[in-house]
């Protein structure tokens, strides 16, 4: 803390300054001023937190000086010192909001007491400001703070038993009774991918959260409707148990009619507050394992779900891809998975493993057909379905159907119509950019297909690769320029798209069997012989 001592009687100030151990009072500097001018300059430069000013500093008792200092140092504390207390001094104390008055001469004890009183007063003012500020924050964000408490409780981030949880609830004024039971509702989307594309993830969750407050927690605590990652969670009080399923049904119907969302609601058994985290984990696992998604409102008990087991793909499935009706595979997949789901044998984990086994089946087929495995991922629609396939059996079947259609060529009639257009675009791009550097990525950008797929279509239609066609057109151009112009071989190389002269000569020799100079010389000889024959005739 910094202080400023102001008095026209220099001896008294020097004596006070020398007899006090400033550090023991937490004072880092004690400046002095013996005139109004010096006091103003020092206050401006030092920015003291507390000023001790003698009423003898000026004819008006230092009133105008201290008023000026308060304008220079906002919030500064003022302690007046004088020979006696009068009505005038009392008025100044009130007007200047001075914190204290000391009668001169001032002893060290009186000084120290004044400093301590100022510190306590300043601390109390700070606490009052913080309380006022945080009071506004609490008023504006009360529900958000309470929602955060319930979210932490679900995620097991509030340690301890019922008493500790209740104490944590009291800190944020959350309505929790450690001796009451609660039921949890976990809400997910059956058509999650469709909703994300149409509305966006955050908007969907916010809409469901608001509708849940209106139709499930009508008169209850709205802070008990929260969003955890991609799911909406509702905590029901005991008086809401009986109507829970009916309210969830109303919510699902409203969401379907409002924005075409198909909700899945998973209801827990009644639990106490210390069991909420385990309950959330149980519902979350059950929702991920519920790949059948037949029921919109599901009551989940402690023993829900059957024994999870390893899924082994039937050996005959791979053979179906070689038949005239490969889409039979999709029907077989559905017939295989649905009974397992109904018996509770499917889980998120073994469903993921099933998908990887299906990928292996597809890759084996593609290898025999000389297709590259990454083509499945390069296809945007297949990749989109791949990411959501594990959410439901319907999603898995759509992905299997799309993969089967792609790799077995059932979309070839459509590709046949597109093939001629792809070839035309490739040839046109090469003709227009023959002298420039051309990459497969640039050509693929024109056809809007991946490079490997573009090459495959071009080869199937023309019998040659894109690179082979490019070399052919460049050699034809080089041949024409050698026969019809006087350009140097290096200039012809550049005009034909080769900035490496040696490489151009090597390619030309491989293509025509002679170097460019030999070709030009032979062409000149043939022209001379032709002219000679014409003249003889």
């Amino acid at each position: 803390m910094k202080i400023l001592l102001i008095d026209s009687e220099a001896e008294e100030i020097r004596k006070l300054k020398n007899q006090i151990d400033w550090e023991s009072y937490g004072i880092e500097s004690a400046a002095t001023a013996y005139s109004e001018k010096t006091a103003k300059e020092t206050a401006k430069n030092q920015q003291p937190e507390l000023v001790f000013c003698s009423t003898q500093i000026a004819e008006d008792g230092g009133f105008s000086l201290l008023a000026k200092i308060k304008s220079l140092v906002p919030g500064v504390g003022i302690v007046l010192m004088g020979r006696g207390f009068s009505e005038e001094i009392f008025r100044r104390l009130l007007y200047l909001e001075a914190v204290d008055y000391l009668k001169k001469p001032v002893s060290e004890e009186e000084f120290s007491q004044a400093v301590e009183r100022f510190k306590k007063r300043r601390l109390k003012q700070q606490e009052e400001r913080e309380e006022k500020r945080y009071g506004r924050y609490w008023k504006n964000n009360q529900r958000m703070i309470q929602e955060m408490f319930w979210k932490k409780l679900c995620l097991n981030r509030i340690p301890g038993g019922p008493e500790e949880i209740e104490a944590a609830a009291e800190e944020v004024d959350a309505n929790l009774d450690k001796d009451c039971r609660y039921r949890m509702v976990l809400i997910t989307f059956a058509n999650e991918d469709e909703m994300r594309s149409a509305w966006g993830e955050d908007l969907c969750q916010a809409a469901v959260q608001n509708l849940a407050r209106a139709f499930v927690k009508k008169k209850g605590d709205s802070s008990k409707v929260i969003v955890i990652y991609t799911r909406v969670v509702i905590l029901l009080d005991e008086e809401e148990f009986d109507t829970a399923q009916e309210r969830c049904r109303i919510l699902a119907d409203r969401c379907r009619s409002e924005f075409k969302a198909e909700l899945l609601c998973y209801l827990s058994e009644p639990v106490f507050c210390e069991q909420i985290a385990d309950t959330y984990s149980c519902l979350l696992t059950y929702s991920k394992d519920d790949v059948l998604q037949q029921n919109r409102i599901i009551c989940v008990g402690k023993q829900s779900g059957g024994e999870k087991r390893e899924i082994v793909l039937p050996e005959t499935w791979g053979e179906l891809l070689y038949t005239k009706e490969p889409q039979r595979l999709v029907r077989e997949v559905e017939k295989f998975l649905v009974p397992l789901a109904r018996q509770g044998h499917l889980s998120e984990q073994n469903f993921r493993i099933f998908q990887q086994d299906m990928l292996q089946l597809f890759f084996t087929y593609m290898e025999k057909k000389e297709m590259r495995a990454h083509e499945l991922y390069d296809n945007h629609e297949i990749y989109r379905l791949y990411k959501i396939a594990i959410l439901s059996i319907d999603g898995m079947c759509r992905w299997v159907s799309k993969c089967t259609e792609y790799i077995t060529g059932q979309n070839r009639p459509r590709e046949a119509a597109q093939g001629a257009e792809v070839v035309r675009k490739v040839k046109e791009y090469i003709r227009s950019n023959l002298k420039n550097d051309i990459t497969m990525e640039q050509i693929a950008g024109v056809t809007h297909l991946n490079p490997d797929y573009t090459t495959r279509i071009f080869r199937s239609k023309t019998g040659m690769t894109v690179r082979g066609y490019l070399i052919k057109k460049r050699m034809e151009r080089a041949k024409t320029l050698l026969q019809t112009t006087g350009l140097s071989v290096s200039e012809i190389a550049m005009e034909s798209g080769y900035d490496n002269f040696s490489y151009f000569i090597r390619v030309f020799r491989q293509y025509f069997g002679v170097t460019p100079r030999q070709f030009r010389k032979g062409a000149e000889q043939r022209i001379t012989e032709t002219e000679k024959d014409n003249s003889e005739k």
Side-chain angles (χ1 to χ4, degrees):
M1 184 172 68
K2 297 179 181 179
I3 68 170
L4 174 60
L5 304 172
I6 305 172
D7 198 337
S8 58
E9 298 176 349
E11 290 299 323
E12 288 195 18
I13 290 296
R14 288 170 178 167
K15 181 180 178 182
L16 182 64
K17 186 176 180 180
N18 292 330
Q19 71 183 22
I20 293 176
D21 181 7
W22 300 102
E23 291 185 3
S24 64
Y25 297 111
I27 298 173
E28 59 181 278
S29 68
T32 57
Y34 307 130
S35 67
E36 289 186 76
K37 181 180 179 182
T38 306
K40 294 176 185 178
E41 293 176 354
T42 305
K44 182 179 179 180
N45 296 329
Q46 296 290 328
Q47 293 292 300
E49 296 174 61
L50 183 59
V51 172
F52 288 82
C53 181
S54 172
T55 56
Q56 282 82 41
I57 190 67
E59 292 183 359
D60 62 355
F63 178 80
S64 58
L65 169 62
L66 292 173
K68 179 64 176 178
I69 290 176
K70 282 180 69 69
S71 67
L72 294 172
V73 188
V76 65
I78 296 174
V79 177
L80 292 175
M81 301 182 295
R83 299 293 180 185
F85 188 82
S86 64
E87 183 179 341
E88 181 63 25
I89 292 177
F90 181 73
R91 282 199 297 271
R92 291 172 188 168
L93 282 168
L94 294 176
Y95 188 85
L96 295 171
E97 297 180 348
V99 298
D100 218 331
Y101 174 80
L102 300 179
K103 188 174 181 180
K104 297 175 68 175
V106 179
S107 65
E108 180 179 356
E109 182 180 0
E110 291 173 328
F111 177 84
S112 65
Q113 290 175 352
V115 171
E116 288 302 318
R117 286 194 293 268
F118 169 74
K119 286 182 177 180
K120 289 179 180 179
R121 179 187 177 95
R122 182 58 56 91
L123 180 61
K124 185 177 180 180
Q125 290 174 339
Q126 184 177 352
E127 289 175 348
E128 289 174 350
R129 285 196 300 270
E130 289 182 356
E131 186 176 342
K132 185 177 181 180
R133 180 163 59 91
Y134 285 118
R136 287 197 300 268
Y137 175 82
W138 168 254
K139 184 178 180 180
N140 295 333
N141 301 278
Q142 180 179 1
R143 189 170 71 183
M144 183 185 70
I145 296 170
Q146 291 171 343
E147 285 179 11
M148 186 60 66
F149 162 78
W150 293 110
K151 183 175 180 179
K152 288 180 178 179
L153 185 58
C154 290
L155 295 175
N156 200 24
R157 295 176 183 172
I158 300 179
E163 291 81 4
E164 289 78 10
I165 294 173
E166 189 175 55
E170 289 176 356
E171 289 182 2
V172 296
D173 200 25
N175 184 18
L176 179 143
D177 187 336
K178 67 179 184 298
D179 297 320
C180 288
R181 296 180 304 165
Y182 300 89
R183 286 188 75 180
M184 182 180 294
V185 183
L186 180 71
I187 300 175
T188 65
F189 292 101
N191 56 340
E192 183 174 347
D193 186 62
E194 179 184 334
M195 297 309 301
R196 283 181 180 176
S197 301
W199 297 88
E201 188 172 86
D202 292 340
L203 185 59
C204 286
Q205 292 164 355
V208 174
Q209 185 181 27
N210 288 331
L211 287 174
R213 287 174 179 148
F215 294 102
V216 183
K217 299 286 289 185
K218 288 184 177 180
K219 297 180 180 179
D221 185 356
S222 62
S223 70
K224 292 178 182 174
V225 182
I226 57 179
V227 174
I228 302 181
Y229 303 125
T230 60
R231 295 165 176 83
V232 176
V233 174
I234 307 172
L235 287 161
L236 301 173
D237 298 309
E238 289 185 349
E239 60 270 19
E240 299 170 316
F241 288 178
D242 293 340
T243 59
Q245 291 191 48
E246 178 61 19
R247 291 188 181 187
C248 286
R249 186 191 62 76
I250 294 173
L251 173 64
D253 291 344
R254 189 62 181 263
C255 287
R256 186 184 298 112
S257 63
E258 289 283 341
F259 53 100
K260 296 181 174 59
E262 296 294 338
L263 297 192
L264 297 170
C265 301
Y266 301 91
L267 277 73
S268 76
E269 294 181 332
V271 296
F272 291 101
C273 62
E274 66 272 18
Q275 300 170 305
I276 286 178
D278 290 338
T279 301
Y280 171 74
S281 179
C282 175
L283 291 185
L284 185 62
T285 300
Y286 189 96
S287 69
K288 290 180 179 179
D289 293 347
D290 181 28
V291 294
L292 198 57
Q293 295 186 347
Q294 284 190 331
N295 300 314
R296 291 297 178 252
I297 300 173
I298 305 163
C299 294
V300 181
K302 294 181 179 178
Q303 304 300 323
S304 294
E307 180 185 356
K308 312 308 177 190
R309 67 188 190 190
E310 182 182 0
I311 303 176
V312 180
L313 270 60
E315 295 180 359
T316 56
W317 281 9
E319 299 171 3
L320 294 175
L321 294 172
Y322 296 91
T323 65
K324 292 183 179 180
E325 193 183 356
Q327 282 293 331
R328 279 179 53 199
L329 176 61
V330 182
R331 295 194 292 272
E332 291 298 321
V333 167
E334 185 174 14
K335 286 167 57 179
F336 179 76
L337 291 175
V338 169
L340 291 175
R342 286 176 176 166
Q343 296 165 20
H345 296 316
L346 288 184
S347 68
E348 180 191 22
Q349 182 180 6
N350 60 19
F351 209 41
R352 286 183 185 276
I353 294 173
F354 172 83
Q355 186 181 33
Q356 297 307 309
D357 288 344
M358 290 300 300
L359 268 179
Q360 187 61 49
L361 185 147
F362 293 143
F363 290 161
T364 301
Y365 176 87
M366 293 172 72
E367 184 179 10
K368 291 180 180 180
K369 294 294 183 179
E370 297 183 354
M371 299 171 68
R372 297 189 179 185
H374 69 76
E375 289 185 35
L376 280 181
Y377 294 102
D378 289 341
N379 185 294
H380 297 301
E381 179 63 12
I382 290 177
Y383 183 61
R384 183 186 70 81
L385 293 174
Y386 168 80
K387 291 190 294 182
I388 63 173
I390 63 165
L391 297 178
S392 67
I393 292 178
D394 287 343
M396 185 67 71
C397 289
R398 286 198 301 271
W399 173 71
V400 171
S401 176
K402 195 67 179 179
C403 289
T404 302
E405 176 186 323
Y406 181 82
I407 66 177
T408 60
Q410 289 179 309
N411 54 356
R412 292 297 185 269
R414 181 168 50 86
E415 287 182 3
Q418 294 177 339
E421 180 66 12
V422 169
V423 171
R424 185 190 68 77
K425 287 182 178 180
V426 171
K427 288 183 175 181
E428 182 179 336
Y429 184 82
I430 288 176
R431 283 196 298 269
S432 302
N433 298 274
L434 200 59
K435 64 184 296 184
N436 301 324
D437 184 34
I438 297 176
T439 66
M440 274 308 303
E441 285 71 22
Q442 292 171 331
I443 293 175
V446 174
T447 62
H448 304 294
L449 301 170
N450 70 68
D452 288 337
Y453 191 45
T454 299
T455 297
R456 186 147 58 87
I457 291 178
F458 190 88
R459 187 171 187 171
S460 68
K461 292 294 180 182
T462 64
M464 63 192 308
T465 64
V466 175
R467 184 175 181 276
Y469 179 79
L470 175 60
I471 292 174
K472 175 187 174 184
K473 302 307 293 183
R474 282 176 167 170
M475 290 299 101
E476 289 177 354
R477 181 176 179 81
K479 174 184 174 182
T480 301
L481 292 174
L482 285 168
Q483 291 174 329
T484 60
T485 71
L487 295 174
S488 66
V489 175
S490 60
E491 290 175 326
I492 290 174
M494 295 293 290
E495 287 294 320
S496 302
Y498 294 95
D499 56 3
N500 187 317
F501 182 63
S502 300
Y503 181 66
F504 167 70
I505 293 176
R506 185 165 69 251
V507 174
F508 191 93
R509 178 183 287 171
Q510 290 174 349
Y511 200 84
F512 291 106
V514 294
T515 65
R517 291 184 186 279
Q518 292 170 336
F519 181 89
R520 171 173 271 176
K521 187 175 181 180
E524 290 173 349
Q525 288 177 349
R526 287 192 294 274
I527 292 172
T528 303
E529 291 174 358
T530 301
E531 290 175 347
K532 183 178 180 181
D533 291 340
N534 291 336
S535 64
E536 289 177 352
K537 291 179 181 179

